[in-house]
Amino acid sequence: MNAVRGAGRALAALLLAASVLSAALLAPGSSPTPDLDRKRHVELKMDQALLLIHNELPGTNLTVYWSSERCYQCLLQVLVNVSWGGKPGKPSTAAVAVSTQHGSILQLNDTAQEKEVCRLEYKFGEFGNYSLFVKHTHDGVSEIACDLVVNEKPVDSNLPVCIAFLVGLALIIVLSFLRFLMSLEDFHNWISKAINTRETDRLINSGSAHPHGVCQLRRGEVLVLQACQLEWFVFIMGTSIFLSMTSILQRGCSKFRLLGKIVWRSFLLICIGIVIVNPNYCLGPLSWEKARIPGVLQRLGVTYFVVAVLELLFAKPVPESCASERSCFSLLDVTSSWPQWLFVLVLEGVWLALTFFLPVPGCPTGYLGPGGIGDLGKYPNCTGGAAGYIDRLLLGDDHLYQHPSPAVLYHTKVAYDPEGILGTINSILMAYLGVQAGKILLYYKDRTKGILIRFAVWGCFLGLISVALTKASENEGFIPVNKNLWSTSYVTTLSSSAFLILLVLYPIVDVKGLWTGTPFFYPGMNSILVYMGHEVFANYFPFQWRLGDSQSHREHLVQNIVATALWVLIAYVLYKKNVFWKI
């Protein structure tokens, strides 16, 4: 118990030191608010700049249109109207806030004639102050020039992230150096003489002990739990399904009993997910007529159920002999799973057929766009194409996510759920690619070269599929990478990255033991609890507090660093106390 407390204090001190140091370096400051802001009554928010448009064209009223460079084939939106001042030599001026997240496209038209006066593309900087002068050139009255001038330089909004990264990197270097010193016998003896030997053992054990006891993990399973902290949770969930199910079946558990556990776990995930995505505890009783049905945990529950049942039905014992069958040229890990792969590929065929051939009222067949002002505003109510239509048809608009991300950039008006029904098919595909990674680990265990070759081959193979589907472009491919749709190219791209990351992590973690996965290991051991805790308490102190300047990137970053450090600390304490919430 004393060792646990000592380790807990050491980790707590480390996390809090990182938070305090980051807070000191990223000390909140007031956002630049130029005098022109106050005069023009334009209150700048985060990721905005001030643009003053000076109309020096006699007798001409201007209409300024705007669009983001990230908005693909978007209909230009009216930004501001600038009328003529009526007096020669005294141009009229309009002040407007412009976005700084991406590059901006500005088009100025003669309001009366609807004729383009000038067009420019520019990347504004946060809290910068700019002037756009529209006037006739000196050479003649027929030529019009639009000159952009920087009145006040913007702030560097990326600086807080860079400082936080450097602070974290410095802490990692310091800890690695201290651990190296602790491994030296002379330094260890010197420390032993300086302080109590018992306390020295506590420090060493808390920093370098490999976790055992609660989870007796075999080779490969440690890697899986550590990789769970990455973005590819669905992929690694598939890996975990295969490793855990193989272990349980080898211990003699009946398939019928295991099926019951799979059904119960999936049911709990879906129920918990519905509770999490409908946080009406502060808004009064929840009305089922307005309850959102899809969600992250719901998709994980369905994906887990399909993949786990599929593996349970066609489970085969992992070969322990016949080393020649598991050489570098063997495909045993793939051929032994042909029924599962056939089922998954049929499901993918269903996704492709529904996506590209299902008639959607008022929309072109096979539409994959965002709707709204995209595609020059031709299909405003076609957000998500077949995926959105199926969700609205089967679940109803009121049971879907009401504030999808396309609404910000594309001004969409219809509900769309990024965790909808059709996208679940591709999450199953991604999970089964994770199963394939697990099979590589067990089928070729103790053959590091064979494992690494297969990780590399799968990573390159899926990467080539992504290149073919997207035509190596952002928007011009057959199936663009789209997270909201969970498109096939999105799955192949992330799965390719996952295999390549495993290619790097496997020798570091499992083979050489150079890294135990700390501190990501601890939240991974209680991932559902940490996820639910974050969703429920995200707006409560000490995870969030009132900021001095709510429009400051620095203050938001400090707050998020502290919240993340606290959740890692909570996960660490629970791990040391052997408290694990399993579903």
Side-chain angles (χ1 to χ4, degrees):
M1 182 60 70
N2 291 332
V4 171
R5 291 176 180 173
R9 286 194 295 268
L11 183 61
L14 172 62
L15 294 173
L16 292 178
S19 302
V20 172
L21 184 56
S22 298
L25 292 174
L26 305 174
S30 58
S31 305
T33 308
D35 293 337
L36 287 172
D37 292 12
R38 292 191 290 269
K39 291 179 180 179
R40 303 294 176 181
H41 304 288
V42 176
E43 182 180 352
L44 294 182
K45 297 181 180 180
M46 194 161 49
D47 298 321
Q48 286 187 343
L50 177 68
L51 176 62
L52 301 173
I53 303 172
H54 305 272
N55 181 7
E56 298 183 10
L57 301 178
T60 303
N61 296 328
L62 297 176
T63 301
V64 183
Y65 295 91
W66 174 88
S67 180
S68 170
E69 287 183 346
R70 297 290 297 176
C71 197
Y72 180 65
Q73 293 184 343
C74 281
L75 195 66
L76 292 173
Q77 302 296 295
V78 176
L79 181 64
V80 68
N81 291 302
V82 189
S83 60
W84 178 52
K87 296 181 182 181
K90 292 185 178 181
S92 60
T93 302
V96 66
V98 291
S99 174
T100 62
Q101 287 185 311
H102 308 291
S104 296
I105 300 173
L106 295 176
Q107 180 176 310
L108 286 75
N109 286 9
D110 184 325
T111 304
Q113 300 180 10
E114 278 298 322
K115 178 183 177 181
E116 181 180 323
V117 173
C118 64
R119 181 185 179 94
L120 67 155
E121 298 181 9
Y122 191 80
K123 176 68 170 67
F124 296 98
E126 188 177 38
F127 298 128
N129 190 306
Y130 303 85
S131 286
L132 178 61
F133 295 93
V134 186
K135 56 187 177 181
H136 291 291
T137 61
H138 297 293
D139 298 333
V141 295
S142 61
E143 297 293 331
I144 298 176
C146 292
D147 298 324
L148 190 65
V149 177
V150 179
N151 301 322
E152 184 170 340
K153 292 183 179 180
V155 301
D156 187 355
S157 57
N158 295 321
L159 184 60
V161 176
C162 295
I163 293 177
F165 173 78
L166 293 176
V167 170
L169 183 62
L171 287 172
I172 292 174
I173 293 174
V174 169
L175 288 176
S176 300
F177 181 69
L178 290 177
R179 187 175 179 182
F180 170 74
L181 290 178
M182 288 294 184
S183 65
L184 300 178
E185 185 176 355
D186 292 340
F187 186 81
H188 181 276
N189 294 334
W190 179 78
I191 289 290
S192 299
K193 295 178 181 179
I195 60 176
N196 184 274
T197 306
R198 184 179 178 184
E199 292 297 324
T200 304
D201 292 338
R202 290 182 188 175
L203 292 173
I204 296 174
N205 292 333
S206 66
S208 60
H210 189 75
H212 291 293
V214 177
C215 298
Q216 294 295 334
L217 302 175
R218 304 191 316 177
R219 183 182 177 94
E221 295 180 3
V222 175
L223 176 62
V224 169
L225 290 173
Q226 290 158 356
C228 281
Q229 306 308 311
L230 302 175
E231 182 183 354
W232 303 265
F233 189 86
V234 173
F235 178 93
I236 214 67
M237 181 181 71
T239 310
S240 300
I241 288 172
F242 175 74
L243 294 177
S244 61
M245 188 171 294
T246 301
S247 177
I248 292 173
L249 291 175
Q250 287 178 346
R251 293 198 299 265
C253 180
S254 69
K255 289 189 175 182
F256 182 78
R257 183 180 178 185
L258 187 53
L259 177 62
K261 291 183 176 181
I262 292 171
V263 172
W264 178 245
R265 179 174 294 179
S266 303
F267 174 75
L268 284 180
L269 281 173
I270 294 172
C271 291
I272 293 172
I274 292 176
V275 172
I276 290 295
V277 299
N278 294 286
N280 281 54
Y281 43 82
C282 294
L283 305 176
L286 174 66
S287 171
W288 176 250
E289 288 76 12
K290 299 290 184 179
R292 181 187 174 193
I293 296 177
V296 173
L297 290 183
Q298 296 91 307
R299 172 167 286 184
L300 289 178
V302 174
T303 302
Y304 171 81
F305 175 79
V306 173
V307 174
V309 170
L310 194 60
E311 277 301 299
L312 182 64
L313 291 177
F314 299 101
K316 293 182 179 180
V318 178
E320 295 292 341
S321 58
C322 301
S324 61
E325 295 182 5
R326 293 181 286 157
S327 66
C328 291
F329 302 99
S330 170
L331 296 176
L332 186 61
D333 55 309
V334 178
T335 57
S336 64
S337 307
W338 72 264
Q340 296 98 307
W341 273 116
L342 179 62
F343 181 85
V344 171
L345 292 177
V346 168
L347 274 183
E348 185 60 24
V350 171
W351 185 88
L352 292 171
L354 291 175
T355 298
F356 290 101
F357 299 106
L358 178 69
V360 179
C363 305
T365 303
Y367 182 71
L368 296 175
I373 63 173
D375 301 288
L376 301 178
K378 296 177 181 178
Y379 317 112
N381 298 319
C382 295
T383 304
Y389 174 66
I390 290 173
D391 289 339
R392 291 189 288 271
L393 181 66
L394 299 181
L395 301 178
D397 284 20
D398 292 337
H399 294 295
L400 303 178
Y401 188 48
Q402 300 299 312
H403 308 287
S405 57
V408 177
L409 196 58
Y410 290 91
H411 302 281
T412 58
K413 303 298 182 183
V414 297
Y416 178 79
D417 209 302
E419 278 78 45
I421 297 172
L422 196 57
T424 304
I425 292 178
N426 278 338
S427 71
I428 293 171
L429 170 63
M430 189 169 187
Y432 202 75
L433 288 168
V435 170
Q436 184 62 43
K439 291 188 176 183
I440 292 173
L441 288 171
L442 285 194
Y443 273 71
Y444 304 95
K445 62 183 178 180
D446 301 326
R447 287 171 171 77
T448 302
K449 182 180 178 181
I451 290 174
L452 296 181
I453 289 175
R454 283 165 177 80
F455 283 163
V457 169
W458 274 100
C460 294
F461 173 67
L462 293 171
L464 290 175
I465 292 178
S466 296
V467 171
L469 292 177
T470 62
K471 297 181 180 179
S473 66
E474 185 176 359
N475 296 299
E476 302 296 337
F478 302 107
I479 306 178
V481 174
N482 191 310
K483 182 182 185 299
N484 282 307
L485 289 175
W486 268 72
S487 62
T488 303
S489 57
Y490 174 77
V491 169
T492 55
T493 300
L494 282 186
S495 298
S496 172
S497 302
F499 274 109
L500 296 179
I501 289 173
L502 289 176
L503 177 66
V504 175
L505 289 182
Y506 180 74
I508 293 175
V509 175
D510 276 293
V511 179
K512 300 295 184 180
L514 300 177
W515 181 43
T516 63
T518 304
F520 306 109
F521 177 84
Y522 306 112
M525 295 299 293
N526 258 315
S527 56
I528 297 297
L529 187 147
V530 171
Y531 173 78
M532 289 186 59
H534 166 71
E535 290 293 315
V536 174
F537 296 105
N539 297 323
Y540 289 85
F541 183 82
F543 307 104
Q544 190 176 101
W545 58 85
R546 185 174 181 177
L547 301 177
D549 181 3
S550 62
Q551 303 305 322
S552 169
H553 281 287
R554 292 172 293 179
E555 293 199 41
H556 281 284
L557 181 60
V558 169
Q559 188 177 75
N560 290 331
I561 289 175
V562 172
T564 302
L566 288 173
W567 280 117
V568 173
L569 177 60
I570 291 171
Y572 173 80
V573 172
L574 293 175
Y575 175 81
K576 285 299 183 179
K577 291 183 177 295
N578 291 336
V579 177
F580 303 96
W581 188 33
K582 299 180 180 179
I583 297 178

PDB file of all heavy atoms in Angstrom, residues 245-262 312-313 315:
ATOM      1  N   MET A 245     -11.187 -13.570 -27.018  1.00  0.00           N
ATOM      2  CA  MET A 245     -12.050 -14.718 -27.295  1.00  0.00           C
ATOM      3  C   MET A 245     -11.234 -15.993 -27.448  1.00  0.00           C
ATOM      4  O   MET A 245     -11.635 -17.070 -26.970  1.00  0.00           O
ATOM      5  CB  MET A 245     -12.865 -14.442 -28.562  1.00  0.00           C
ATOM      6  CG  MET A 245     -13.935 -15.487 -28.830  1.00  0.00           C
ATOM      7  SD  MET A 245     -15.014 -14.992 -30.170  1.00  0.00           S
ATOM      8  CE  MET A 245     -15.800 -13.572 -29.440  1.00  0.00           C
ATOM      9  N   THR A 246     -10.087 -15.912 -28.097  1.00  0.00           N
ATOM     10  CA  THR A 246      -9.217 -17.078 -28.221  1.00  0.00           C
ATOM     11  C   THR A 246      -8.774 -17.576 -26.855  1.00  0.00           C
ATOM     12  O   THR A 246      -8.769 -18.781 -26.575  1.00  0.00           O
ATOM     13  CB  THR A 246      -7.990 -16.729 -29.080  1.00  0.00           C
ATOM     14  OG1 THR A 246      -8.416 -16.305 -30.372  1.00  0.00           O
ATOM     15  CG2 THR A 246      -7.074 -17.926 -29.218  1.00  0.00           C
ATOM     16  N   SER A 247      -8.408 -16.629 -25.980  1.00  0.00           N
ATOM     17  CA  SER A 247      -7.967 -17.005 -24.638  1.00  0.00           C
ATOM     18  C   SER A 247      -9.091 -17.660 -23.845  1.00  0.00           C
ATOM     19  O   SER A 247      -8.881 -18.667 -23.159  1.00  0.00           O
ATOM     20  CB  SER A 247      -7.455 -15.754 -23.910  1.00  0.00           C
ATOM     21  OG  SER A 247      -7.077 -16.063 -22.592  1.00  0.00           O
ATOM     22  N   ILE A 248     -10.300 -17.115 -23.950  1.00  0.00           N
ATOM     23  CA  ILE A 248     -11.439 -17.665 -23.196  1.00  0.00           C
ATOM     24  C   ILE A 248     -11.805 -19.059 -23.693  1.00  0.00           C
ATOM     25  O   ILE A 248     -12.046 -19.980 -22.907  1.00  0.00           O
ATOM     26  CB  ILE A 248     -12.646 -16.716 -23.309  1.00  0.00           C
ATOM     27  CG1 ILE A 248     -12.355 -15.408 -22.565  1.00  0.00           C
ATOM     28  CG2 ILE A 248     -13.904 -17.369 -22.742  1.00  0.00           C
ATOM     29  CD1 ILE A 248     -13.418 -14.349 -22.774  1.00  0.00           C
ATOM     30  N   LEU A 249     -11.825 -19.234 -25.013  1.00  0.00           N
ATOM     31  CA  LEU A 249     -12.169 -20.547 -25.557  1.00  0.00           C
ATOM     32  C   LEU A 249     -11.113 -21.582 -25.224  1.00  0.00           C
ATOM     33  O   LEU A 249     -11.434 -22.762 -25.004  1.00  0.00           O
ATOM     34  CB  LEU A 249     -12.355 -20.444 -27.072  1.00  0.00           C
ATOM     35  CG  LEU A 249     -13.585 -19.664 -27.548  1.00  0.00           C
ATOM     36  CD1 LEU A 249     -13.587 -19.526 -29.064  1.00  0.00           C
ATOM     37  CD2 LEU A 249     -14.868 -20.341 -27.075  1.00  0.00           C
ATOM     38  N   GLN A 250      -9.851 -21.191 -25.167  1.00  0.00           N
ATOM     39  CA  GLN A 250      -8.797 -22.123 -24.798  1.00  0.00           C
ATOM     40  C   GLN A 250      -8.918 -22.581 -23.351  1.00  0.00           C
ATOM     41  O   GLN A 250      -8.453 -23.665 -23.001  1.00  0.00           O
ATOM     42  CB  GLN A 250      -7.427 -21.482 -25.032  1.00  0.00           C
ATOM     43  CG  GLN A 250      -7.036 -21.371 -26.504  1.00  0.00           C
ATOM     44  CD  GLN A 250      -5.708 -20.685 -26.709  1.00  0.00           C
ATOM     45  OE1 GLN A 250      -5.172 -20.054 -25.789  1.00  0.00           O
ATOM     46  NE2 GLN A 250      -5.155 -20.791 -27.914  1.00  0.00           N
ATOM     47  N   ARG A 251      -9.541 -21.751 -22.515  1.00  0.00           N
ATOM     48  CA  ARG A 251      -9.749 -22.136 -21.119  1.00  0.00           C
ATOM     49  C   ARG A 251     -10.964 -23.034 -20.935  1.00  0.00           C
ATOM     50  O   ARG A 251     -11.277 -23.430 -19.820  1.00  0.00           O
ATOM     51  CB  ARG A 251      -9.895 -20.889 -20.246  1.00  0.00           C
ATOM     52  CG  ARG A 251      -8.620 -20.069 -20.149  1.00  0.00           C
ATOM     53  CD  ARG A 251      -8.656 -19.130 -18.960  1.00  0.00           C
ATOM     54  NE  ARG A 251      -9.738 -18.176 -19.033  1.00  0.00           N
ATOM     55  CZ  ARG A 251      -9.621 -16.936 -19.517  1.00  0.00           C
ATOM     56  NH1 ARG A 251      -8.448 -16.532 -19.996  1.00  0.00           N
ATOM     57  NH2 ARG A 251     -10.646 -16.125 -19.534  1.00  0.00           N
ATOM     58  N   GLY A 252     -11.677 -23.344 -22.039  1.00  0.00           N
ATOM     59  CA  GLY A 252     -12.782 -24.294 -21.975  1.00  0.00           C
ATOM     60  C   GLY A 252     -14.151 -23.682 -21.807  1.00  0.00           C
ATOM     61  O   GLY A 252     -15.116 -24.418 -21.527  1.00  0.00           O
ATOM     62  N   CYS A 253     -14.294 -22.402 -21.978  1.00  0.00           N
ATOM     63  CA  CYS A 253     -15.611 -21.766 -21.863  1.00  0.00           C
ATOM     64  C   CYS A 253     -16.482 -22.197 -23.036  1.00  0.00           C
ATOM     65  O   CYS A 253     -16.035 -22.226 -24.180  1.00  0.00           O
ATOM     66  CB  CYS A 253     -15.463 -20.251 -21.832  1.00  0.00           C
ATOM     67  SG  CYS A 253     -17.026 -19.360 -21.705  1.00  0.00           S
ATOM     68  N   SER A 254     -17.743 -22.529 -22.766  1.00  0.00           N
ATOM     69  CA  SER A 254     -18.643 -22.970 -23.833  1.00  0.00           C
ATOM     70  C   SER A 254     -19.027 -21.796 -24.720  1.00  0.00           C
ATOM     71  O   SER A 254     -19.127 -20.647 -24.268  1.00  0.00           O
ATOM     72  CB  SER A 254     -19.908 -23.597 -23.239  1.00  0.00           C
ATOM     73  OG  SER A 254     -20.703 -22.617 -22.602  1.00  0.00           O
ATOM     74  N   LYS A 255     -19.260 -22.094 -25.999  1.00  0.00           N
ATOM     75  CA  LYS A 255     -19.635 -21.044 -26.940  1.00  0.00           C
ATOM     76  C   LYS A 255     -20.995 -20.450 -26.604  1.00  0.00           C
ATOM     77  O   LYS A 255     -21.221 -19.250 -26.807  1.00  0.00           O
ATOM     78  CB  LYS A 255     -19.648 -21.604 -28.366  1.00  0.00           C
ATOM     79  CG  LYS A 255     -18.269 -21.901 -28.932  1.00  0.00           C
ATOM     80  CD  LYS A 255     -18.354 -22.234 -30.416  1.00  0.00           C
ATOM     81  CE  LYS A 255     -16.964 -22.419 -31.013  1.00  0.00           C
ATOM     82  NZ  LYS A 255     -17.022 -22.692 -32.480  1.00  0.00           N
ATOM     83  N   PHE A 256     -21.903 -21.264 -26.082  1.00  0.00           N
ATOM     84  CA  PHE A 256     -23.227 -20.750 -25.740  1.00  0.00           C
ATOM     85  C   PHE A 256     -23.144 -19.726 -24.611  1.00  0.00           C
ATOM     86  O   PHE A 256     -23.792 -18.677 -24.651  1.00  0.00           O
ATOM     87  CB  PHE A 256     -24.140 -21.919 -25.322  1.00  0.00           C
ATOM     88  CG  PHE A 256     -25.541 -21.486 -25.010  1.00  0.00           C
ATOM     89  CD1 PHE A 256     -26.440 -21.204 -26.029  1.00  0.00           C
ATOM     90  CD2 PHE A 256     -25.955 -21.350 -23.689  1.00  0.00           C
ATOM     91  CE1 PHE A 256     -27.742 -20.804 -25.743  1.00  0.00           C
ATOM     92  CE2 PHE A 256     -27.243 -20.945 -23.396  1.00  0.00           C
ATOM     93  CZ  PHE A 256     -28.150 -20.664 -24.429  1.00  0.00           C
ATOM     94  N   ARG A 257     -22.329 -20.027 -23.610  1.00  0.00           N
ATOM     95  CA  ARG A 257     -22.164 -19.082 -22.509  1.00  0.00           C
ATOM     96  C   ARG A 257     -21.471 -17.811 -22.980  1.00  0.00           C
ATOM     97  O   ARG A 257     -21.834 -16.706 -22.563  1.00  0.00           O
ATOM     98  CB  ARG A 257     -21.347 -19.736 -21.395  1.00  0.00           C
ATOM     99  CG  ARG A 257     -21.176 -18.862 -20.157  1.00  0.00           C
ATOM    100  CD  ARG A 257     -20.371 -19.580 -19.098  1.00  0.00           C
ATOM    101  NE  ARG A 257     -20.159 -18.727 -17.938  1.00  0.00           N
ATOM    102  CZ  ARG A 257     -19.401 -19.069 -16.907  1.00  0.00           C
ATOM    103  NH1 ARG A 257     -18.796 -20.260 -16.894  1.00  0.00           N
ATOM    104  NH2 ARG A 257     -19.249 -18.245 -15.888  1.00  0.00           N
ATOM    105  N   LEU A 258     -20.501 -17.959 -23.856  1.00  0.00           N
ATOM    106  CA  LEU A 258     -19.794 -16.792 -24.378  1.00  0.00           C
ATOM    107  C   LEU A 258     -20.730 -15.934 -25.235  1.00  0.00           C
ATOM    108  O   LEU A 258     -20.653 -14.699 -25.201  1.00  0.00           O
ATOM    109  CB  LEU A 258     -18.598 -17.246 -25.198  1.00  0.00           C
ATOM    110  CG  LEU A 258     -17.640 -16.148 -25.696  1.00  0.00           C
ATOM    111  CD1 LEU A 258     -17.169 -15.275 -24.546  1.00  0.00           C
ATOM    112  CD2 LEU A 258     -16.461 -16.772 -26.419  1.00  0.00           C
ATOM    113  N   LEU A 259     -21.639 -16.577 -25.963  1.00  0.00           N
ATOM    114  CA  LEU A 259     -22.618 -15.833 -26.750  1.00  0.00           C
ATOM    115  C   LEU A 259     -23.499 -14.976 -25.848  1.00  0.00           C
ATOM    116  O   LEU A 259     -23.805 -13.824 -26.173  1.00  0.00           O
ATOM    117  CB  LEU A 259     -23.477 -16.793 -27.574  1.00  0.00           C
ATOM    118  CG  LEU A 259     -24.602 -16.158 -28.394  1.00  0.00           C
ATOM    119  CD1 LEU A 259     -24.031 -15.197 -29.424  1.00  0.00           C
ATOM    120  CD2 LEU A 259     -25.449 -17.237 -29.064  1.00  0.00           C
ATOM    121  N   GLY A 260     -23.882 -15.528 -24.706  1.00  0.00           N
ATOM    122  CA  GLY A 260     -24.683 -14.757 -23.757  1.00  0.00           C
ATOM    123  C   GLY A 260     -23.940 -13.521 -23.268  1.00  0.00           C
ATOM    124  O   GLY A 260     -24.525 -12.434 -23.145  1.00  0.00           O
ATOM    125  N   LYS A 261     -22.636 -13.659 -23.003  1.00  0.00           N
ATOM    126  CA  LYS A 261     -21.843 -12.511 -22.566  1.00  0.00           C
ATOM    127  C   LYS A 261     -21.736 -11.460 -23.672  1.00  0.00           C
ATOM    128  O   LYS A 261     -21.778 -10.255 -23.408  1.00  0.00           O
ATOM    129  CB  LYS A 261     -20.454 -12.972 -22.145  1.00  0.00           C
ATOM    130  CG  LYS A 261     -20.433 -13.805 -20.863  1.00  0.00           C
ATOM    131  CD  LYS A 261     -19.000 -14.155 -20.466  1.00  0.00           C
ATOM    132  CE  LYS A 261     -18.974 -14.912 -19.140  1.00  0.00           C
ATOM    133  NZ  LYS A 261     -17.586 -15.248 -18.724  1.00  0.00           N
ATOM    134  N   ILE A 262     -21.598 -11.924 -24.909  1.00  0.00           N
ATOM    135  CA  ILE A 262     -21.501 -10.988 -26.033  1.00  0.00           C
ATOM    136  C   ILE A 262     -22.786 -10.191 -26.179  1.00  0.00           C
ATOM    137  O   ILE A 262     -22.762  -8.956 -26.344  1.00  0.00           O
ATOM    138  CB  ILE A 262     -21.190 -11.761 -27.328  1.00  0.00           C
ATOM    139  CG1 ILE A 262     -19.783 -12.352 -27.272  1.00  0.00           C
ATOM    140  CG2 ILE A 262     -21.343 -10.857 -28.545  1.00  0.00           C
ATOM    141  CD1 ILE A 262     -19.477 -13.306 -28.412  1.00  0.00           C
ATOM    142  N   LEU A 312     -17.032 -16.052 -33.116  1.00  0.00           N
ATOM    143  CA  LEU A 312     -17.481 -17.174 -32.288  1.00  0.00           C
ATOM    144  C   LEU A 312     -18.004 -18.317 -33.153  1.00  0.00           C
ATOM    145  O   LEU A 312     -17.733 -19.500 -32.888  1.00  0.00           O
ATOM    146  CB  LEU A 312     -18.561 -16.703 -31.318  1.00  0.00           C
ATOM    147  CG  LEU A 312     -19.106 -17.744 -30.333  1.00  0.00           C
ATOM    148  CD1 LEU A 312     -18.006 -18.207 -29.384  1.00  0.00           C
ATOM    149  CD2 LEU A 312     -20.279 -17.163 -29.543  1.00  0.00           C
ATOM    150  N   LEU A 313     -18.756 -17.998 -34.198  1.00  0.00           N
ATOM    151  CA  LEU A 313     -19.346 -19.031 -35.050  1.00  0.00           C
ATOM    152  C   LEU A 313     -18.290 -19.810 -35.818  1.00  0.00           C
ATOM    153  O   LEU A 313     -18.434 -21.016 -36.040  1.00  0.00           O
ATOM    154  CB  LEU A 313     -20.334 -18.385 -36.027  1.00  0.00           C
ATOM    155  CG  LEU A 313     -21.621 -17.822 -35.422  1.00  0.00           C
ATOM    156  CD1 LEU A 313     -22.460 -17.146 -36.498  1.00  0.00           C
ATOM    157  CD2 LEU A 313     -22.424 -18.914 -34.743  1.00  0.00           C
ATOM    158  N   ALA A 315     -14.895 -19.901 -35.070  1.00  0.00           N
ATOM    159  CA  ALA A 315     -13.639 -19.948 -34.315  1.00  0.00           C
ATOM    160  C   ALA A 315     -12.889 -21.241 -34.590  1.00  0.00           C
ATOM    161  O   ALA A 315     -13.473 -22.331 -34.619  1.00  0.00           O
ATOM    162  CB  ALA A 315     -13.929 -19.812 -32.822  1.00  0.00           C
TER     163      ALA A 315
END
